[in-house]
Amino acid sequence: MKLCYSCFTKYGDEFYVCPKCGHPDITGPEEPIYLAPGTILGKRYIVGEAIGAGGFGIIYKAWDSKFENIVALKEFFPSRLIRRAQGKKEISLINEKSKEEFGYRKARFLAEARTMAQYGSNKIIPNVFEFFEENGTAYIVMELLIGTTLKEYLKSQQGKVDQDFALMVTEEIGYALKALHKDGVIHRDVAPDNIYICSGKELRLKLLDFGAAKLVDKTDDVIDIVLKPGYSPYEQYDSTNNIGPWTDVYALGATLYQMLTGVVPEEASDRKKEDKVLPPHILDANIPESLSNLVMKAISLEIHMRYKNVDELLKSIKAYMNGKKIRSIKAEIFRKRVKRIAGIAAACAILGVLAFFLKKNFEKKREVEYLDKAELTVWSCAEKGSNEDIAMQDILAQFKESYPDISFKYSCYPEDEYYEKLKTAAEKNKLPDVFESTGVSDSVLKKSRSIKTVLKSDQAKECLFLDQYSNYYDDYKQIPLGIIVPMAYVITNGVTSVDYSEEYFKTVTDLASKEEIAVDEEYGKLIKKNYGSWSWADKEDFMDNEENTVAILISTTMGMNEVRETLTNYQKQYVFPDSDKIYCDFTYEWSLGNGNKNENKAADRFLSWMLGNVYQTTLMIGRASDGQIPVNKASYLAKCEVKAYEPLASEKIYNKYVFEK
């Protein structure tokens, strides 16, 4: 009797093909390094034909003799590190130098199996039944999939599919990614060749290949740079520190782009130099502009302009399908220009770890004084679900860990609602216990409570600039958490570039004539204080990518994100004037309401706590980073580790900061 190594049916010796599936006899392995058909692994799996192979593994059909069904068996086989003699089961290292890398990669292979096995109930992720080590290597046993990859399917459809099918695929894979991200797993290799369309009565999709995944396993201390041109975002090219859910968002967005247009987006590293990726509705007039805007946001080069997680992308898809208009990135930039937006995130993961140790350090140093039970009302001016909102919730949770008898009633409101709500609360003498007060009216501040206790706290003493508080504020009704620093932005590459290599310049006119300098009038008063005048070229002359007429913009740190977003095709050099005094502004003020004794005491403590390095690092460097600079010294210096802010790190610079009303 013979055994068909494709369908595992037994048939008579007189047949040369399997009478059931029509597959010819398989008498030996297709490649010398493959396991021979009929090999038994794990005392129960009969190896069949090889159905796939790559640089790190070989996939076989196999018969599970215990449960009598066909499975897929994936063998860990990094071909550049190991070899196998034909007809043998055991592997051997190519050389002794490969031992360490082989051990590391095998551990990751098994970690991949453990990760996938956790998601057996998820219909989009292939079931893993077992994993084990044998023959000097490792194996994963999983469900056998019958069908085709999305990549092959697209080829059969002349490169693209209709909108409904494309959105369905995106949603289904999105839900699988959402489950992974919830547990800290980042796939890092989402692309049409790793999305499988199963054949059958019902359309089923599977997300394949977790070999590149960033796992939560201990073996994941070091992550390889894994790239798939067109689908990998820019952060995957040079660093693993900034890998997160947004990384998979880009890859899924690139897949959606291809499904709609039939075009693979240009490689991210090339886009960074000059972005030539056209919005889908430009490539195909049948694609609605709102859907095109959704896709372009998903594949934004800048992380802070991308959907920060898959859930945001899925909500946007639902909104689009319900007829809601989706704004373009440019429209969002314009709308948020005067708001705090998520920005420099290059060091978020590192600084997240820093925040953890800073928190531990702070807990050792904080006052041990007991706080009586109280519920604090806290209001902030932020979009619900924004990075700032999430950061604020983190801070509240951290404070509650230290003071379990304090609870919070936290609310955030968009800017157009916030000031009206504060005004109404002040009129009723019901201001929140702690509230953001940047730009509020005098009538609101008049009803607030003095912050003198906060200004005398240990945390305030950790701050660099609060010794100038009384020069800036008329009373003691607001405490600033950040500062705005003037800055010059210089284009050093391109048609209007300035050939300038020194670190600092003494005056603006050292660089160019007044006609060649643009000024950010939003910060005109501050600029005028530092430079003597602010009536030169218009800021738009600097920001216009196509018709730049100036190479220098005088602005502040708050303009950093806008410059980075708009001038993606240019190198920018951030420089600073070397003068005797550098006039800066305090910003991001907070104030106190009037509650009972316990509430006031807890509110004072919480607002003091917000001056500490834990809060400042979390909000102004980590989750919701923007051009505001922390007042806390440790956080200030940590922010200056981000390359764009390096010119501010020198003590000879920040000791010149002057704050005046």
Side-chain angles (χ1 to χ4, degrees), residues 458-481:
D458 287 344
Q459 289 80 12
K461 293 172 186 175
E462 297 173 3
C463 297
L464 278 170
F465 316 112
L466 293 185
D467 57 346
Q468 299 188 56
Y469 179 92
S470 58
N471 297 334
Y472 194 91
Y473 295 98
D474 295 328
D475 51 26
Y476 289 84
K477 293 300 185 78
Q478 294 175 288
I479 194 81
L481 301 187

Side-chain angles (χ1 to χ4, degrees), residues 553-620:
L553 171 68
I554 307 300
S555 182
T556 70
T557 48
M558 295 298 286
M560 181 93 59
N561 290 327
E562 187 182 359
V563 171
R564 286 166 58 88
E565 292 157 5
T566 309
L567 300 183
T568 54
N569 299 338
Y570 294 95
Q571 283 187 326
K572 279 85 59 184
Q573 183 174 342
Y574 308 102
V575 293
F576 204 87
D578 190 9
S579 55
D580 294 334
K581 291 182 179 180
I582 300 169
Y583 292 95
C584 303
D585 274 343
F586 285 120
T587 189
Y588 200 32
E589 291 97 344
W590 284 71
S591 298
L592 299 166
N594 285 287
N596 61 38
K597 182 180 177 181
N598 290 352
E599 290 167 349
N600 288 349
K601 186 175 179 181
D604 286 349
R605 184 74 56 80
F606 179 66
L607 192 50
S608 300
W609 204 78
M610 290 169 79
L611 290 170
N613 51 29
V614 179
Y615 175 84
Q616 300 255 301
T617 299
T618 300
L619 182 62
M620 295 195 181

Side-chain angles (χ1 to χ4, degrees), residues 623-644:
R623 285 190 179 275
S625 173
D626 63 10
Q628 295 174 109
I629 311 298
V631 292
N632 180 278
K633 183 175 181 179
S635 298
Y636 176 95
L637 295 175
K639 183 141 189 172
C640 291
E641 290 179 10
V642 178
K643 186 176 181 180

Side-chain angles (χ1 to χ4, degrees), residues 206-268:
K206 295 285 183 178
L207 179 60
L208 308 180
D209 199 347
F210 285 65
K214 184 177 187 298
L215 312 174
V216 291
D217 191 87
K218 294 287 186 184
T219 60
D220 206 33
D221 293 337
V222 179
I223 300 294
D224 298 325
I225 293 177
V226 178
L227 299 174
K228 188 158 286 181
Y231 306 97
S232 298
Y234 188 71
E235 63 264 22
Q236 268 182 253
Y237 279 72
D238 60 354
S239 172
T240 59
N241 290 331
N242 213 17
I243 300 299
W246 49 87
T247 303
D248 286 342
V249 166
Y250 185 101
L252 185 56
T255 301
L256 176 57
Y257 186 102
Q258 183 183 358
M259 286 191 286
L260 292 171
T261 66
V263 177
V264 179
E266 189 179 22
E267 193 169 352

Side-chain angles (χ1 to χ4, degrees), residues 407-543:
S407 59
F408 291 98
K409 190 175 181 182
Y410 168 65
S411 302
C412 68
Y413 303 99
E415 192 173 344
D416 54 357
E417 294 180 37
Y418 186 71
Y419 295 108
E420 196 59 40
K421 285 186 175 291
L422 268 184
K423 181 182 175 183
T424 303
E427 289 170 353
K428 296 179 179 179
N429 289 317
K430 290 185 177 179
L431 281 172
D433 297 303
V434 184
F435 63 96
E436 184 181 345
S437 60
T438 311
V440 302
S441 64
D442 291 340
S443 61
V444 171
L445 289 178
K446 188 176 180 181
K447 297 291 183 73
S448 66
R449 188 162 55 85
S450 170
I451 54 86
K452 285 185 178 180
T453 302
V454 177
L455 205 55
K456 294 176 182 177
S457 67
D458 287 344
Q459 289 80 12
K461 293 172 186 175
E462 297 173 3
C463 297
L464 278 170
F465 316 112
L466 293 185
D467 57 346
Q468 299 188 56
Y469 179 92
S470 58
N471 297 334
Y472 194 91
Y473 295 98
D474 295 328
D475 51 26
Y476 289 84
K477 293 300 185 78
Q478 294 175 288
I479 194 81
L481 301 187
I483 64 172
I484 298 173
V485 181
M487 215 176 215
Y489 299 88
V490 180
I491 296 176
T492 59
N493 184 29
V495 178
T496 63
S497 64
V498 174
D499 183 15
Y500 184 74
S501 57
E502 293 182 24
E503 190 178 5
Y504 304 112
F505 60 90
K506 292 181 179 179
T507 66
V508 176
T509 51
D510 286 345
L511 281 176
S513 67
K514 291 184 179 180
E515 288 73 30
E516 293 175 302
I517 298 174
V519 173
D520 185 348
E521 293 196 19
E522 186 177 354
Y523 300 99
K525 290 181 181 179
L526 187 61
I527 291 168
K528 187 174 182 180
K529 232 175 191 180
N530 281 282
Y531 303 104
S533 175
W534 51 280
S535 57
W536 300 327
D538 190 272
K539 178 182 176 182
E540 295 306 314
D541 293 334
F542 178 84
M543 301 301 289

